[in-house]
mmCIF file of all heavy atoms in Angstrom:
data_model
loop_
_atom_site.group_PDB
_atom_site.id
_atom_site.type_symbol
_atom_site.label_atom_id
_atom_site.label_comp_id
_atom_site.label_asym_id
_atom_site.label_seq_id
_atom_site.Cartn_x
_atom_site.Cartn_y
_atom_site.Cartn_z
ATOM 1 N N LYS A 82 -4.035 -49.962 -13.213
ATOM 2 C CA LYS A 82 -4.473 -51.271 -12.793
ATOM 3 C C LYS A 82 -3.326 -52.302 -12.866
ATOM 4 O O LYS A 82 -3.228 -53.203 -12.007
ATOM 5 C CB LYS A 82 -5.610 -51.773 -13.657
ATOM 6 C CG LYS A 82 -6.987 -51.308 -13.186
ATOM 7 C CD LYS A 82 -7.379 -52.082 -11.924
ATOM 8 C CE LYS A 82 -8.807 -51.759 -11.498
ATOM 9 N NZ LYS A 82 -9.171 -52.457 -10.274
ATOM 10 N N VAL A 113 -27.820 -28.050 -25.510
ATOM 11 C CA VAL A 113 -27.352 -29.395 -25.344
ATOM 12 C C VAL A 113 -28.494 -30.342 -25.667
ATOM 13 O O VAL A 113 -29.602 -30.232 -25.145
ATOM 14 C CB VAL A 113 -26.797 -29.662 -23.922
ATOM 15 C CG1 VAL A 113 -26.490 -31.134 -23.739
ATOM 16 C CG2 VAL A 113 -25.577 -28.807 -23.682
ATOM 17 N N ILE A 150 -26.711 -45.567 -18.715
ATOM 18 C CA ILE A 150 -25.433 -46.211 -18.404
ATOM 19 C C ILE A 150 -25.639 -47.584 -17.824
ATOM 20 O O ILE A 150 -24.956 -48.538 -18.177
ATOM 21 C CB ILE A 150 -24.677 -45.317 -17.427
ATOM 22 C CG1 ILE A 150 -24.154 -44.018 -18.146
ATOM 23 C CG2 ILE A 150 -23.471 -46.051 -16.825
ATOM 24 C CD1 ILE A 150 -23.580 -42.966 -17.245
ATOM 25 N N ARG A 151 -26.633 -47.729 -16.921
ATOM 26 C CA ARG A 151 -26.885 -49.044 -16.334
ATOM 27 C C ARG A 151 -27.246 -50.057 -17.390
ATOM 28 O O ARG A 151 -26.806 -51.185 -17.408
ATOM 29 C CB ARG A 151 -28.066 -48.922 -15.344
ATOM 30 C CG ARG A 151 -28.406 -50.220 -14.542
ATOM 31 C CD ARG A 151 -27.385 -50.559 -13.540
ATOM 32 N NE ARG A 151 -26.304 -51.382 -14.055
ATOM 33 C CZ ARG A 151 -25.098 -51.452 -13.514
ATOM 34 N NH1 ARG A 151 -24.774 -50.752 -12.441
ATOM 35 N NH2 ARG A 151 -24.166 -52.249 -14.035
ATOM 36 N N GLY A 161 -22.112 -56.063 -12.373
ATOM 37 C CA GLY A 161 -21.694 -55.653 -11.038
ATOM 38 C C GLY A 161 -21.009 -54.291 -11.005
ATOM 39 O O GLY A 161 -20.613 -53.840 -9.902
ATOM 40 N N PRO A 163 -20.598 -50.675 -10.428
ATOM 41 C CA PRO A 163 -21.468 -49.690 -9.732
ATOM 42 C C PRO A 163 -21.406 -48.314 -10.377
ATOM 43 O O PRO A 163 -20.436 -47.936 -11.026
ATOM 44 C CB PRO A 163 -20.933 -49.655 -8.320
ATOM 45 C CG PRO A 163 -19.472 -50.051 -8.455
ATOM 46 C CD PRO A 163 -19.401 -50.959 -9.653
ATOM 47 N N TYR A 167 -23.638 -38.154 -9.763
ATOM 48 C CA TYR A 167 -23.629 -36.746 -9.326
ATOM 49 C C TYR A 167 -25.118 -36.314 -9.297
ATOM 50 O O TYR A 167 -25.575 -35.598 -10.189
ATOM 51 C CB TYR A 167 -22.882 -35.863 -10.299
ATOM 52 C CG TYR A 167 -21.385 -35.935 -10.274
ATOM 53 C CD1 TYR A 167 -20.709 -37.138 -10.623
ATOM 54 C CD2 TYR A 167 -20.596 -34.812 -10.017
ATOM 55 C CE1 TYR A 167 -19.318 -37.165 -10.634
ATOM 56 C CE2 TYR A 167 -19.228 -34.840 -10.047
ATOM 57 C CZ TYR A 167 -18.580 -36.047 -10.350
ATOM 58 O OH TYR A 167 -17.200 -36.080 -10.396
ATOM 59 N N ALA A 172 -25.295 -25.605 -10.211
ATOM 60 C CA ALA A 172 -24.650 -24.698 -11.108
ATOM 61 C C ALA A 172 -23.904 -23.679 -10.246
ATOM 62 O O ALA A 172 -24.402 -22.600 -9.892
ATOM 63 C CB ALA A 172 -25.621 -24.005 -12.042
ATOM 64 N N TYR A 176 -16.666 -23.963 -9.046
ATOM 65 C CA TYR A 176 -16.000 -24.863 -9.940
ATOM 66 C C TYR A 176 -14.873 -24.235 -10.747
ATOM 67 O O TYR A 176 -14.182 -24.903 -11.551
ATOM 68 C CB TYR A 176 -16.977 -25.478 -10.934
ATOM 69 C CG TYR A 176 -18.127 -26.218 -10.321
ATOM 70 C CD1 TYR A 176 -19.371 -26.253 -10.984
ATOM 71 C CD2 TYR A 176 -18.032 -26.879 -9.106
ATOM 72 C CE1 TYR A 176 -20.458 -26.904 -10.453
ATOM 73 C CE2 TYR A 176 -19.124 -27.526 -8.568
ATOM 74 C CZ TYR A 176 -20.350 -27.551 -9.248
ATOM 75 O OH TYR A 176 -21.387 -28.210 -8.688
ATOM 76 N N PHE A 179 -11.379 -25.917 -11.123
ATOM 77 C CA PHE A 179 -11.407 -27.187 -11.816
ATOM 78 C C PHE A 179 -11.454 -26.985 -13.335
ATOM 79 O O PHE A 179 -10.783 -27.706 -14.080
ATOM 80 C CB PHE A 179 -12.652 -27.984 -11.403
ATOM 81 C CG PHE A 179 -12.793 -29.265 -12.142
ATOM 82 C CD1 PHE A 179 -12.248 -30.461 -11.661
ATOM 83 C CD2 PHE A 179 -13.506 -29.345 -13.349
ATOM 84 C CE1 PHE A 179 -12.389 -31.653 -12.384
ATOM 85 C CE2 PHE A 179 -13.630 -30.481 -14.085
ATOM 86 C CZ PHE A 179 -13.071 -31.654 -13.575
ATOM 87 N N SER A 185 -12.012 -27.231 -19.190
ATOM 88 C CA SER A 185 -13.375 -27.634 -19.553
ATOM 89 C C SER A 185 -14.376 -26.512 -19.485
ATOM 90 O O SER A 185 -15.609 -26.747 -19.452
ATOM 91 C CB SER A 185 -13.861 -28.790 -18.626
ATOM 92 O OG SER A 185 -13.850 -28.318 -17.269
ATOM 93 N N ASP A 207 -35.526 -34.819 -5.138
ATOM 94 C CA ASP A 207 -36.157 -35.424 -6.313
ATOM 95 C C ASP A 207 -35.116 -36.024 -7.248
ATOM 96 O O ASP A 207 -35.317 -37.088 -7.814
ATOM 97 C CB ASP A 207 -36.991 -34.365 -7.072
ATOM 98 C CG ASP A 207 -38.142 -33.845 -6.218
ATOM 99 O OD1 ASP A 207 -38.620 -34.550 -5.297
ATOM 100 O OD2 ASP A 207 -38.592 -32.687 -6.541
ATOM 101 N N ASP A 212 -32.456 -40.779 -9.627
ATOM 102 C CA ASP A 212 -31.246 -41.522 -9.955
ATOM 103 C C ASP A 212 -31.185 -42.894 -9.319
ATOM 104 O O ASP A 212 -30.748 -43.884 -9.885
ATOM 105 C CB ASP A 212 -29.963 -40.718 -9.601
ATOM 106 C CG ASP A 212 -29.735 -39.561 -10.548
ATOM 107 O OD1 ASP A 212 -30.482 -39.440 -11.545
ATOM 108 O OD2 ASP A 212 -28.784 -38.793 -10.371
ATOM 109 N N GLY A 216 -31.048 -46.691 -11.118
ATOM 110 C CA GLY A 216 -30.003 -47.676 -10.889
ATOM 111 C C GLY A 216 -28.706 -47.160 -10.297
ATOM 112 O O GLY A 216 -27.724 -47.903 -10.236
ATOM 113 N N GLN A 248 -15.773 -32.063 -2.087
ATOM 114 C CA GLN A 248 -15.189 -30.799 -1.674
ATOM 115 C C GLN A 248 -14.435 -30.227 -2.896
ATOM 116 O O GLN A 248 -13.318 -30.631 -3.158
ATOM 117 C CB GLN A 248 -14.226 -31.025 -0.481
ATOM 118 C CG GLN A 248 -13.717 -29.712 0.116
ATOM 119 C CD GLN A 248 -12.694 -29.939 1.199
ATOM 120 O OE1 GLN A 248 -11.769 -30.738 1.038
ATOM 121 N NE2 GLN A 248 -12.825 -29.228 2.297
ATOM 122 N N ASP A 266 -4.899 -21.279 9.573
ATOM 123 C CA ASP A 266 -4.077 -22.460 9.674
ATOM 124 C C ASP A 266 -4.652 -23.472 8.714
ATOM 125 O O ASP A 266 -5.674 -24.116 9.008
ATOM 126 C CB ASP A 266 -4.056 -22.995 11.105
ATOM 127 C CG ASP A 266 -3.186 -24.197 11.328
ATOM 128 O OD1 ASP A 266 -3.102 -25.040 10.384
ATOM 129 O OD2 ASP A 266 -2.607 -24.325 12.414
ATOM 130 N N GLU A 273 -11.103 -29.452 9.834
ATOM 131 C CA GLU A 273 -12.394 -29.071 10.372
ATOM 132 C C GLU A 273 -13.494 -29.129 9.296
ATOM 133 O O GLU A 273 -14.625 -29.597 9.535
ATOM 134 C CB GLU A 273 -12.269 -27.660 10.939
ATOM 135 C CG GLU A 273 -13.535 -27.140 11.650
ATOM 136 C CD GLU A 273 -13.353 -25.749 12.222
ATOM 137 O OE1 GLU A 273 -12.201 -25.357 12.500
ATOM 138 O OE2 GLU A 273 -14.368 -25.080 12.444
ATOM 139 N N TYR A 285 -18.591 -40.867 2.139
ATOM 140 C CA TYR A 285 -17.364 -40.705 1.379
ATOM 141 C C TYR A 285 -17.192 -39.227 0.982
ATOM 142 O O TYR A 285 -18.163 -38.565 0.710
ATOM 143 C CB TYR A 285 -17.369 -41.576 0.123
ATOM 144 C CG TYR A 285 -17.558 -43.037 0.418
ATOM 145 C CD1 TYR A 285 -18.768 -43.642 0.450
ATOM 146 C CD2 TYR A 285 -16.409 -43.842 0.739
ATOM 147 C CE1 TYR A 285 -18.941 -45.000 0.736
ATOM 148 C CE2 TYR A 285 -16.560 -45.200 1.041
ATOM 149 C CZ TYR A 285 -17.836 -45.744 1.038
ATOM 150 O OH TYR A 285 -17.942 -47.080 1.351
#
Side-chain angles (χ1 to χ4, degrees):
K82 274 289 187 181
V113 174
I150 290 170
R151 183 73 272 156
Y167 285 64
Y176 303 149
F179 176 91
S185 62
D207 295 337
D212 285 357
Q248 187 185 46
D266 182 323
E273 185 177 337
Y285 300 94

